Amino acid sequence: MSNKNNCMSYPFSLFPLPYAYNALEPHIDTLTMKIHHDRHLKTYTDKLNAALEPCTHLHNKTLEWLVCNANSLPTKSRKDILHNAGGVYNHIYYFAGMSPKTCKPSGKLAKAIDCEFGSWEKLVAKFKSCALDVFGSGYLWLVVNKQGNLRIVKTHNQETPLSRGFCPLFCIDVWEHAYYLKHYNDRASYIDDWFAVLNCDFAQKNFSLF
Ligand code: MN3
């Protein structure tokens, strides 16, 4: 992930929002951004550090390692570490995947999208319908699979696509805390607003790393 340096290993620091709280107005409102980042993400970060504190042999492990090596985590704290490391990992993709300066994908990513989905517009339509279909709390992702093909995948709660062997490009958080204050229960209008601030440069950077 391109933001690896901000959170290499224990103690993990709160991932800094790459723009001002109000930068995504009117699509994503300031209060939602403040609560989402300063409370939700901070809580995952603090709880991850608390769960790791007694596990000194894990203090040099990256976020990526922690979410991908469930079987190497101590049984007693496994659930806490996975849930909170996933919470941090997923939110970094979500926050870094939005920007006040948006553009459509170009270059290699645009080509791959046309090849897999037909066009950017068709990907948007499919992504939107899948995001509406996520039942309960979770995320919808655009990822690259091991064969190098683009795929749309759902993850539930704080599961990560990385732990399933996918390379993530971007995600939308469809937990209600991501949109309820402005969009209430209207997830469809939230998805449209999220697409209006999608950071395709970030997706392209992740695609080029694959
Ligand atoms: Mn969230």
Side-chain angles (χ1 to χ4, degrees), residues 127-143:
F127 199 91
K128 184 175 176 181
S129 95
C130 293
L132 282 170
D133 208 39
V134 175
F135 184 74
S137 297
Y139 297 79
L140 192 74
W141 300 78
L142 184 67
V143 302

Side-chain angles (χ1 to χ4, degrees), residues 13-207:
S13 50
L14 178 62
F15 172 76
L17 207 59
Y19 36 75
Y21 295 113
N22 65 356
L24 306 180
E25 291 271 10
H27 304 288
I28 310 288
D29 62 290
T30 306
L31 184 60
T32 295
M33 288 302 290
K34 273 191 179 156
I35 293 176
H36 202 171
H37 179 269
D38 293 5
R39 297 195 190 189
H40 289 271
L41 178 54
K42 185 170 189 307
T43 301
Y44 284 114
T45 312
D46 290 347
K47 285 187 169 176
L48 174 61
N49 287 330
L52 287 171
E53 202 251 315
C55 311
T56 50
H57 67 293
L58 298 176
H59 285 187
N60 63 345
K61 301 300 186 194
T62 62
L63 209 47
E64 288 81 359
W65 190 93
L66 293 170
V67 299
C68 289
N69 290 277
N71 293 334
S72 305
L73 301 174
T75 323
K76 213 176 79 182
S77 34
R78 183 176 298 155
K79 235 177 81 183
D80 270 356
I81 294 174
L82 280 179
H83 177 78
N84 292 297
V88 172
Y89 181 90
N90 292 340
H91 279 103
I92 290 174
Y93 271 89
Y94 175 66
F95 288 125
M98 296 187 287
S99 167
K101 282 186 225 142
T102 59
C103 58
K104 277 187 182 179
S106 58
K108 264 168 57 186
L109 179 58
K111 251 185 216 161
I113 288 169
D114 288 349
C115 179
E116 188 63 48
F117 300 97
S119 66
W120 171 245
E121 288 67 29
K122 284 183 182 162
L123 164 61
V124 171
K126 188 168 182 197
F127 199 91
K128 184 175 176 181
S129 95
C130 293
L132 282 170
D133 208 39
V134 175
F135 184 74
S137 297
Y139 297 79
L140 192 74
W141 300 78
L142 184 67
V143 302
V144 186
N145 70 10
K146 282 179 181 153
Q147 289 72 40
N149 303 312
L150 293 177
R151 291 288 180 264
I152 293 173
V153 302
K154 293 174 196 175
T155 56
H156 291 287
N157 298 317
Q158 296 300 359
E159 181 204 2
T160 70
L162 198 63
S163 62
R164 281 160 48 189
F166 297 118
C167 167
L169 301 189
F170 59 70
C171 71
I172 182 171
D173 183 342
V174 290
W175 285 59
E176 279 187 343
H177 65 236
Y179 62 93
Y180 202 83
L181 291 179
K182 174 180 159 72
H183 300 87
Y184 304 113
N185 62 340
D186 185 4
R187 191 187 284 182
S189 73
Y190 162 61
I191 297 166
D192 291 338
D193 272 331
W194 172 81
F195 265 115
V197 294
L198 175 61
N199 182 356
C200 282
D201 287 342
F202 176 71
Q204 271 162 209
K205 209 188 290 171
N206 293 331
F207 189 62

